[in-house]
């Protein structure tokens, strides 16, 4: 099932963040490309229904899967890169993941209603 793949990728992101080197409490040192690729895998695992109805979803709901992925993208790109690694706040990344868990079912329902 496609949603199982989504949740598997999100779990992999959580594990990657949790297993990364801890720096100053809630900060983690992570390989930038690895984190970016995990979020890219998450986007690629989205149901085609969501991707096809992206504009409709954006018009119906301000905070949705795409805005959350955009937040992560900005966070990753803004971070200073040192030898391929970046420093990220674990709580910020996990908060976005939690919001993705919460918004996905509603986002899918909104997109389904557009197709009816």
């Amino acid at each position: 099932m496609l949603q199982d793949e989504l949740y598997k990728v999100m779990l992999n992101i959580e594990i990657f963040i949790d297993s990364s080197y801890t720096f100053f409490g809630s900060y983690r040192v992570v390989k930038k490309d690895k984190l970016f690729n995990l979020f890219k895998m998450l986007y690629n695992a989205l149901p085609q229904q969501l991707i096809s109805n992206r504009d409709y979803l954006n018009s119906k709901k301000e905070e949705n899967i795409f805005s959350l992925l955009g937040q992560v993208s900005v966070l990753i790109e803004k971070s200073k890169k040192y030898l391929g690694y970046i420093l990220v706040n674990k709580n910020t990344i996990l908060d976005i993941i939690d919001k993705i868990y919460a918004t996905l079912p509603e986002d899918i329902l909104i997109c389904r209603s557009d197709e009816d």
Side-chain angles (χ1 to χ4, degrees):
M1 176 172 246
L2 193 57
Q3 286 179 337
D4 291 340
E5 181 65 24
L6 274 171
Y7 294 123
K8 182 180 174 184
V9 173
M10 287 190 285
L11 180 61
N12 287 339
I13 294 169
E14 291 176 28
I15 291 169
F16 175 68
I17 295 293
D18 281 335
S19 66
S20 297
Y21 181 74
T22 302
F23 192 77
F24 290 129
S26 65
Y27 286 89
R28 298 292 194 262
V29 176
V30 298
K31 195 151 186 68
K32 182 177 183 174
D33 293 341
K34 172 79 173 178
L35 184 61
F36 179 79
N37 287 335
L38 284 167
F39 276 100
K40 186 176 178 184
M41 286 173 58
L42 177 61
Y43 179 85
N44 291 338
L46 290 175
Q48 187 59 43
Q49 187 176 41
L50 277 176
I51 295 170
S52 298
N53 293 301
R54 182 179 185 160
D55 291 336
Y56 179 74
L57 181 59
N58 285 332
S59 73
K60 293 293 181 185
K61 189 175 169 203
E62 188 172 325
E63 185 173 89
N64 59 55
I65 182 69
F66 299 109
S67 67
L68 293 168
L69 289 174
Q71 288 176 23
V72 169
S73 179
V74 167
L75 190 140
I76 292 171
E77 287 305 313
K78 282 179 39 179
S79 299
K80 299 269 190 234
K81 185 175 172 181
Y82 301 99
L83 301 172
Y85 291 87
I86 59 174
L87 187 65
V88 295
N89 186 306
K90 171 189 173 182
N91 297 332
T92 301
I93 298 285
L94 295 183
D95 183 49
I96 292 171
I97 292 290
D98 288 344
K99 288 178 181 179
I100 290 173
Y101 276 116
T103 196
L104 264 174
E106 185 180 348
D107 291 355
I108 291 170
L109 284 175
I110 290 170
C111 290
R112 281 187 184 155
S113 71
D114 181 48
E115 291 181 351
D116 294 338

